Amino acid sequence: MRLFFKIYSPFVLIYVVQFLLFYYTLRHLDEGIIKGNILYIFLVSVFPFAMFLLVRLGMEGSFFRRLEKEWEKGDEFLGILNRTPLTDAVKKAFSKQHRLLRLASQEELKQKQEHIDFIYHWVHQLKTPLSALKLTVQAEEALDSADDMQEEIDRIEHSLNMVLYLSRIKSFLNDFYVEQVSLNQIATETINEMKRLFIRKEIFPVIEAEGEFTVLTDGKWLKFVLFQLLTNAIRYTSGENKRIKIRIGQRDREVYLSVIDQGVGIAPEDIPRVFDLYFTGKNGRVFGESTGIGLFLVKKICDELTHDVQIQSELNQGTQVTIVFQQ
């Protein structure tokens, strides 16, 4: 009720000033009237004013209480029952504003959906000629440039998938199916699917597992996360006899899966922001392929699956990204 008293406190001040003027005027005109009657005069004067405040409190009390609290819904003010000129005017103004905001929100959502549908359609249109190019390159494997062409095609396909996942992130986050999944199997399958890229980059993948581990997760999206982490590890690793490790184990009651590379590492000041959308950091200025989308999607998916993502890195030594599965 602080809002009520803030609004009506000037009325109290006016009443006090008015009473003092009234008192000193009567005292100046006839001091005998004041003597012995000051309490009676005060009570007679304050009674109608107190009744006025009580009536206004009853009429507008719930209105001010509703204004003071935090609204969970934008239309809660429509439930205000008090009927005074002030509350009616405020309700009409709020109703109009709420209606305009709702219409603007609906229009924005419509435009956003149209944009998403356009991107989705565009990506799928590009995938058709891309598939044709892959078949053409596979048919011409004897060409010296076949490997380079295949690498560029894979890069385009990966970029298109990133755009597709990002544009439809809200819808694909509802596509989770959580079940018991073998981390060892996921790691093996992902490496096999990426073996061409490992061979091309002359990087040797290694799986180090303390045993067989199964966790509650979505196998499809975990494989996507691992694929993204391995792609980043390959991108930022170069040189002879380099290895990328997938380490699977358990500490205390938590099972973890780590991707460890021997790449360029991440600058310490960039680490807090690596999961931000479109953030590429210092490495992004050196490696033109950086988009700042992959790790954002990794973090988003792991958050939805209630997995923790941790990252450790040292410049020119490598990076370790760990997914922790709560048991």
Side-chain angles (χ1 to χ4, degrees), residues 50-64:
M51 292 302 299
F52 165 77
L53 291 179
L54 289 174
V55 170
R56 299 304 295 185
L57 179 62
M59 295 176 65
E60 300 176 349
S62 64
F63 170 76
F64 287 111

Side-chain angles (χ1 to χ4, degrees), residues 175-179 181 186 215-224 301 305 307:
D175 188 33
F176 290 129
Y177 179 72
V178 178
E179 59 182 344
V181 173
I186 289 287
V215 295
L216 277 174
T217 188
D218 183 296
K220 179 181 70 173
W221 291 114
L222 180 61
K223 185 181 289 187
F224 168 80
I301 292 169
L305 289 169
H307 305 330

Side-chain angles (χ1 to χ4, degrees), residues 266-267 270-277 279-280 292 294-296 311:
I266 304 171
D270 287 347
I271 291 179
R273 298 184 59 193
V274 293
F275 296 116
D276 293 348
L277 181 60
F279 179 77
T280 57
L295 285 180
F296 167 79
I311 187 165

Side-chain angles (χ1 to χ4, degrees), residues 154-189:
D154 290 343
R155 185 181 301 172
I156 293 172
E157 186 174 34
H158 180 67
S159 298
L160 289 176
N161 286 332
M162 288 292 97
V163 173
L164 183 62
Y165 293 141
L166 182 63
S167 66
R168 301 188 66 86
I169 189 168
K170 287 188 176 180
S171 59
F172 82 72
L173 288 179
N174 296 325
D175 188 33
F176 290 129
Y177 179 72
V178 178
E179 59 182 344
Q180 289 287 346
V181 173
S182 169
L183 292 182
N184 306 67
Q185 182 178 348
I186 289 287
T188 302
E189 290 177 357

Side-chain angles (χ1 to χ4, degrees), residues 36-309:
N37 296 316
I38 184 61
L39 180 60
Y40 175 76
I41 294 173
F42 173 75
L43 292 176
V44 170
S45 174
V46 80
F47 179 76
F49 179 68
M51 292 302 299
F52 165 77
L53 291 179
L54 289 174
V55 170
R56 299 304 295 185
L57 179 62
M59 295 176 65
E60 300 176 349
S62 64
F63 170 76
F64 287 111
R65 281 192 293 269
R66 187 67 64 91
L67 288 179
E68 286 177 334
K69 78 169 191 176
E70 294 184 2
W71 295 348
E72 296 180 359
K73 299 179 181 178
D75 58 352
E76 284 194 33
F77 59 87
L78 296 176
I80 298 174
L81 301 177
N82 299 106
R83 297 298 302 275
T84 67
L86 174 63
T87 58
D88 285 343
V90 171
K91 285 175 65 174
K92 287 179 181 179
F94 278 8
S95 297
K96 183 178 180 180
Q97 188 67 22
H98 180 67
R99 185 169 61 255
L100 293 174
L101 289 174
R102 188 172 65 241
L103 291 174
S105 177
Q106 290 174 350
E107 182 63 25
E108 183 180 355
L109 287 174
K110 180 182 176 182
Q111 293 178 1
K112 186 176 181 181
Q113 187 60 47
E114 290 175 352
H115 178 68
I116 291 174
D117 291 340
F118 169 77
I119 293 177
Y120 188 75
H121 182 67
W122 174 74
V123 169
H124 279 283
Q125 278 191 323
L126 287 181
K127 281 193 171 185
T128 300
L130 195 63
S131 299
L133 282 174
K134 291 177 71 174
L135 292 174
T136 302
V137 171
Q138 290 173 5
E140 302 292 341
E141 288 185 353
L143 295 175
D144 294 337
S145 60
D147 286 343
D148 293 335
M149 292 174 63
Q150 185 63 53
E151 180 179 354
E152 295 302 320
I153 290 172
D154 290 343
R155 185 181 301 172
I156 293 172
E157 186 174 34
H158 180 67
S159 298
L160 289 176
N161 286 332
M162 288 292 97
V163 173
L164 183 62
Y165 293 141
L166 182 63
S167 66
R168 301 188 66 86
I169 189 168
K170 287 188 176 180
S171 59
F172 82 72
L173 288 179
N174 296 325
D175 188 33
F176 290 129
Y177 179 72
V178 178
E179 59 182 344
Q180 289 287 346
V181 173
S182 169
L183 292 182
N184 306 67
Q185 182 178 348
I186 289 287
T188 302
E189 290 177 357
T190 307
I191 286 178
N192 287 336
E193 291 174 9
M194 300 180 69
K195 62 183 179 181
R196 182 186 299 168
L197 184 57
F198 279 108
I199 294 172
R200 190 182 304 135
K201 295 294 185 179
E202 298 182 347
I203 297 173
F204 188 68
V206 178
I207 298 177
E208 296 181 349
E210 298 175 0
E212 289 287 333
F213 292 95
T214 59
V215 295
L216 277 174
T217 188
D218 183 296
K220 179 181 70 173
W221 291 114
L222 180 61
K223 185 181 289 187
F224 168 80
V225 167
L226 184 56
F227 181 90
Q228 183 58 47
L229 294 178
L230 289 172
T231 300
N232 281 1
I234 294 171
R235 178 181 299 152
Y236 299 117
T237 300
S238 60
E240 298 181 356
N241 301 319
K242 295 289 186 178
R243 295 190 174 194
I244 292 177
K245 297 179 181 179
I246 298 179
R247 184 173 294 160
I248 304 170
Q250 184 172 3
R251 51 185 178 223
D252 298 328
R253 298 186 61 186
E254 296 177 338
V255 176
Y256 67 88
L257 182 150
S258 297
V259 175
I260 307 167
D261 65 48
Q262 298 175 323
V264 297
I266 304 171
E269 61 270 24
D270 287 347
I271 291 179
R273 298 184 59 193
V274 293
F275 296 116
D276 293 348
L277 181 60
Y278 303 131
F279 179 77
T280 57
K282 291 184 177 180
N283 288 339
R285 299 179 182 90
V286 179
F287 298 85
E289 302 173 13
S290 302
T291 62
I293 297 175
L295 285 180
F296 167 79
L297 289 174
V298 166
K299 184 68 165 63
K300 194 76 173 177
I301 292 169
C302 287
D303 285 347
E304 290 294 323
L305 289 169
T306 67
H307 305 330
D308 188 26
V309 184

